[in-house]
Amino acid sequence: MKAKHAGSPSNKAPFWLRWLVPTVLILTWLTLAGIGGPTFGRLEEVSSNDQASFLPASAEATAAQDWQAKFRDADEVPAVIVIESPERFAPPQLREAAALKTELEGLELGSAVIGPIPSEDGEAVQFIVPISESLELEEAVQELRDTTSAGTPEGMQSYVTGPAGLAADLTGAFAGIDGLLLLVALAAVLVILLIVYRSILLPVMVLLTSVFALCAAILLVFGMAKAGWIQLNGQSQGILSILVIGAATDYALLYVARFREALTHTTDRTAAALTAWRASFEPILASGATVIIALLCLLFSDLNSNKALGPVAAAGILCALFAALTLLPALMALSGRAAFWPFRPKLLPDDEREPELVTGLEGQKGLWRATGSLVRRRPRTVWVASVLLLLVASAGVFQLKANGVPQTDVILSASTAVDGQDALARHFDAGSGSPAVVVADEGKAREVLEAVKAADGVGDAYLLAEGSVPITGAPGTPSAPDVRDGKVLINATLDAAADSLEAEEAVKALRADVRAEDPGALVGGVTAIALDTNTTAQRDLVIIIPIVLVVILFILMLLLRSVIAPVLLVLSVVLSYAAALGVAAFVFNNILGFPGADATVPLFGFVFLVALGVDYNIFLMSRVREESLKHGTRPGILRGLGVTGGVITSAGVVLAATFAALGVIPIMFLVQLAFIVAFGVLLDTVLVRSLLVPALAYDIGPTIWWPGKLAREGLRHPREPFSNGETGTPASFADAGEIR
């Protein structure tokens, strides 16, 4: 009598499990998407790109900024207007430029407009226009540009720059995050899924899982930002979209692979969905937990922008995890084999479902059989060559200049503010409009002022009277400084542009000089904010990396019930990260011509690459462990490599493509992060997971599972091959040192 297949009528799952549960899950996710989707356009309400808000409370620039707030009646951001002439201004032209001041004040953007201030060469004038922070900055700057352009004398060029102009252009560059970035990422994923599955319905289901996960993540992040729990910015917003789409698709690919495999064993789609869920639950959960906990380690950062990214990205991964483990299984349970049309998986005969393994290559063909054969024949050669290749690539890491870049270099697209900074530097002290601010004790004001004036890199300095009026000594100027709580303010105009590395060096020297006169003096301003941000980011790198590694190592030990395997996996991913940074340094310096990298790039690259790189090793090694329990370690390694090869490679390509989509946003930080993560993921997928890890594990043998029980399982698998591919009896194993 023929044995009944699983899923025959007598074995059918109950109605509530076949129809009710999947339907409820899908309707729940539709509701979340319906609420979260429209929220996507409202993220700007709770987002800020103000660099000062990224600083830790302990930073000197933060303390100086708090003192500055006590000296002004309203919070304002200065815009600097530069009008440049090809020759010296004639008196009528100066009067025409001066008339512009009345028009600028008529806009009522903030406090009094300062200017026109002529340059020493007579070929430019500048105005300083404070803009109230209560106004929409982009709209205010655009209004300034329209008014200035209309009032500029014929034949001259005008620019609106300074902190307000640069911030407005930076916000404009981030505008693509809401539409273009998401469109490019989804299109890239769809194309890859169509190629991988050669199906119409399945890629749509996987993509819907990713999009619904993103909608839920946006709803969660918006709520946290609205409540003031997190600080959202354009960088976090862009990374959130990419991370959720990439992670949800990766988890979906793993589940779909197990579902397809289950359909070859049963005709019951519900049973197949449950079997796939049970098989993929642990690796998906471990993978998601690894990334979430690694991201939450950013909360140990002193930099508010890093702290903000941690919970934002972790919320995204959490939603991706839930979508892959609830929505996708529900869709698969309802669609069954129809999801794979026109190439539906066929039910295998009983004798083909669980092949008897000797080498582990049985039943495999194509690329992954060839890869497995190479690992089986030459394991030591493969992993040693892989390590050497990664070490060579890692040598370039010392050329990575991740000590920050001028804000004028951050925006890669055309920017009027950047052009204006160049014009400002041609005719004025480059730091005009963005002075360093010194907070000094009232009793030592004159001594500190003289020290500031004498400092290297300072063009001019003056005490401020009430109303932020400079005390210059000229007739009609106030003679007494404004004093608040025993402190005075000194403005110092730097010779170098406020966002340049030269200005940062000048601030370092200025801090040392003023403290010689007043140990309690503080130096703040735009340059000090950038300096303290970079310094804090570099310190975070040293603190957070060890924490992330320990957390990932602990999770891997729990998952694999081993010590040796997790240690080797973490080391392999760290080496892969170093190689990605080394190659990135070469590309940034010699091909793209970047002046440097943001100080946060190595840290973000590490968190994403190490956490996501371990993902693929989790997918591989959890399956290897499953197969090793059935067939022995070495056959299990080759079997695990073969059955996961296609899905993990596809997942790596999807994640690399989604992160590469960040490159469409013309912000240097995002372009650099896109390259590092995309290249690193491909390197990890193609080299580390496909060759290095399997070959190293195969060479070590059952000892890879020490101290778990699999390390002592050799006697139960007398046909398990040696690392040279031969098989033997238990006695010969012992003689060869296979069992210790």
Side-chain angles (χ1 to χ4, degrees):
M1 181 183 289
K2 258 188 179 179
K4 288 182 180 179
H5 288 304
S8 59
S10 61
N11 294 327
K12 284 278 187 184
F15 173 83
W16 66 268
L17 188 58
R18 285 186 294 121
W19 295 104
L20 185 59
V21 172
T23 301
V24 169
L25 287 173
I26 292 171
L27 289 176
T28 301
W29 277 99
L30 278 170
T31 303
L32 286 174
I35 300 172
T39 307
F40 193 68
R42 298 180 58 198
L43 285 179
E44 288 185 1
E45 297 177 17
V46 292
S47 180
S48 170
N49 293 309
D50 178 17
Q51 189 180 16
S53 64
F54 297 168
L55 279 173
S58 58
E60 181 175 342
T62 304
Q65 190 175 45
D66 292 341
W67 273 106
Q68 279 182 269
K70 296 180 180 180
F71 282 83
R72 59 184 180 224
D73 297 326
D75 290 332
E76 295 175 328
V77 182
V80 179
I81 296 175
V82 182
I83 300 178
E84 187 179 29
S85 171
E87 54 191 24
R88 290 183 68 88
F89 272 71
Q93 292 172 323
L94 279 174
R95 286 193 294 272
E96 191 176 350
L100 179 61
K101 180 176 181 178
T102 304
E103 297 181 42
L104 295 174
E105 289 180 333
L107 298 177
E108 298 182 349
L109 300 178
S111 57
V113 175
I114 301 173
I117 305 169
S119 62
E120 289 187 7
D121 61 13
E123 296 178 357
V125 296
Q126 69 166 313
F127 297 86
I128 298 175
V129 184
I131 299 177
S132 172
E133 290 187 354
S134 63
L135 300 177
E136 183 65 38
L137 186 62
E138 280 186 280
E139 295 178 6
V141 168
Q142 188 57 52
E143 197 172 0
L144 268 183
R145 285 173 174 161
D146 293 341
T147 302
T148 302
S149 178
T152 299
E154 188 176 352
M156 299 183 186
Q157 182 66 48
S158 64
Y159 308 91
V160 177
T161 184
L166 288 168
D169 285 0
L170 185 63
T171 302
F174 274 118
I177 285 178
D178 288 339
L180 180 61
L181 175 60
L182 191 59
L183 184 64
V184 170
L186 291 176
V189 172
L190 180 60
V191 169
I192 294 169
L193 292 176
L194 288 171
I195 294 172
V196 169
Y197 289 127
R198 295 176 297 164
S199 166
I200 297 173
L201 186 57
L202 188 57
V204 173
M205 290 181 174
V206 172
L207 212 57
L208 278 177
T209 302
S210 301
V211 172
F212 281 21
L214 179 58
C215 290
I218 288 169
L219 188 60
L220 183 57
V221 167
F222 181 84
M224 291 192 296
K226 193 78 172 175
W229 298 348
I230 61 171
Q231 192 171 53
L232 187 64
N233 57 65
Q235 291 178 357
S236 298
Q237 189 178 330
I239 291 171
L240 172 68
S241 300
I242 291 303
L243 196 59
V244 173
I245 292 171
T249 305
D250 276 6
Y251 302 150
L253 286 170
L254 181 62
Y255 177 83
V256 168
R258 298 308 294 249
F259 182 65
R260 180 197 284 269
E261 188 177 328
L263 286 175
T264 64
H265 293 69
T266 181
T267 57
D268 186 346
R269 62 177 186 269
T270 305
L274 289 173
T275 299
W277 191 89
R278 284 190 292 266
S280 59
F281 175 79
E282 187 173 300
I284 290 178
L285 182 63
S287 170
T290 301
V291 181
I292 287 171
I293 296 175
L295 288 167
L296 290 178
C297 288
L298 289 172
L299 290 172
F300 290 99
S301 169
D302 282 337
L303 203 60
N304 288 336
S305 55
N306 289 355
K307 284 184 179 179
L309 179 62
V312 168
I317 295 295
L318 185 66
C319 293
L321 185 68
F322 272 105
L325 290 175
T326 56
L327 175 60
L328 185 64
L331 292 171
M332 294 293 101
L334 291 181
S335 59
R337 281 178 167 77
F340 296 90
W341 183 87
F343 298 99
R344 304 183 185 190
K346 298 178 180 178
L347 192 68
L348 295 175
D350 290 343
D351 56 353
E352 292 184 20
R353 294 183 188 176
E354 199 69 50
E356 184 180 349
L357 300 186
V358 175
T359 65
L361 296 175
E362 290 80 5
Q364 297 184 36
K365 55 185 178 181
L367 173 64
W368 296 108
R369 180 180 177 87
T371 303
S373 297
L374 175 63
V375 168
R376 178 171 174 259
R377 292 194 312 271
R378 296 284 184 270
R380 191 162 300 172
T381 302
V382 170
W383 74 258
V384 169
S386 300
V387 168
L388 290 175
L389 182 61
L390 291 172
L391 286 173
V392 170
S394 301
V397 73
F398 299 105
Q399 303 301 315
L400 185 67
K401 297 176 286 187
N403 55 353
V405 293
Q407 193 174 3
T408 49
D409 289 323
V410 169
I411 305 172
L412 300 179
S413 58
S415 166
T416 303
V418 172
D419 295 339
Q421 287 295 117
D422 293 338
L424 195 65
R426 284 194 293 269
H427 303 287
F428 299 90
D429 288 332
S432 297
S434 303
V437 178
V438 180
V439 181
D441 187 79
E442 176 190 5
K444 298 184 178 180
R446 296 297 172 183
E447 293 87 342
V448 172
L449 177 61
E450 293 305 316
V452 172
K453 288 182 175 180
D456 291 337
V458 175
D460 190 17
Y462 44 83
L463 277 163
L464 289 181
E466 191 170 349
S468 297
V469 178
I471 301 175
T472 61
T477 64
S479 58
D482 188 10
V483 180
R484 305 287 173 95
D485 296 337
K487 299 289 185 179
V488 296
L489 282 188
I490 298 172
N491 272 6
T493 303
L494 303 177
D495 293 332
D499 65 342
S500 66
L501 298 180
E502 292 82 3
E504 290 187 15
E505 292 300 318
V507 166
K508 288 180 185 178
L510 183 59
R511 283 176 169 172
D513 291 344
V514 298
R515 287 200 183 102
E517 300 294 337
D518 178 6
L522 301 170
V523 178
V526 173
T527 306
I529 288 171
L531 172 63
D532 289 349
T533 299
N534 291 336
T535 302
T536 306
Q538 291 166 355
R539 185 169 61 245
D540 284 349
L541 195 64
V542 177
I543 294 171
I544 294 175
I545 284 180
I547 297 174
V548 172
L549 290 178
V550 169
V551 166
I552 290 176
L553 186 63
F554 180 72
I555 293 175
L556 286 175
M557 286 179 178
L558 290 178
L559 176 68
L560 300 177
R561 287 81 159 175
S562 167
V563 171
I564 292 180
V567 169
L568 294 177
L569 291 180
V570 168
L571 288 176
S572 70
V573 176
V574 170
L575 184 57
S576 175
Y577 163 72
L581 278 192
V583 173
F586 175 81
V587 172
F588 296 163
N589 297 341
N590 301 293
I591 297 178
L592 299 179
F594 289 152
D598 191 280
T600 58
V601 164
L603 178 60
F604 286 0
F606 175 83
V607 171
F608 292 128
L609 267 186
V610 172
L612 296 172
V614 167
D615 267 7
Y616 301 128
N617 283 322
I618 286 175
F619 293 167
L620 170 66
M621 293 304 289
S622 61
R623 186 59 184 264
V624 165
R625 188 176 187 279
E626 179 185 329
E627 298 294 339
S628 296
L629 286 168
K630 300 176 186 176
H631 309 290
T633 296
R634 289 198 169 102
I637 290 169
L638 299 184
R639 171 74 174 167
L641 175 62
V643 296
T644 63
V647 64
I648 297 179
T649 300
S650 300
V653 172
V654 165
L655 191 65
T658 52
F659 263 93
L662 280 173
V664 304
I665 305 300
I667 301 295
M668 184 183 292
F669 165 83
L670 293 179
V671 171
Q672 291 175 334
L673 186 64
F675 179 86
I676 290 173
V677 177
F679 177 79
V681 165
L682 290 177
L683 184 66
D684 200 78
T685 304
V686 174
L687 181 63
V688 176
R689 190 270 315 167
S690 300
L691 294 173
L692 173 56
V693 169
L696 183 58
Y698 197 93
D699 195 19
I700 294 173
T703 307
I704 194 79
W705 305 113
W706 184 89
K709 65 177 183 178
L710 270 173
R712 303 183 296 276
E713 289 292 295
L715 289 172
R716 292 177 55 185
H717 304 286
R719 297 291 298 168
E720 183 173 303
F722 294 116
S723 59
N724 62 6
E726 298 176 357
T727 60
T729 63
S732 63
F733 272 127
D735 292 341
E738 184 72 21
I739 303 296
R740 295 176 176 85

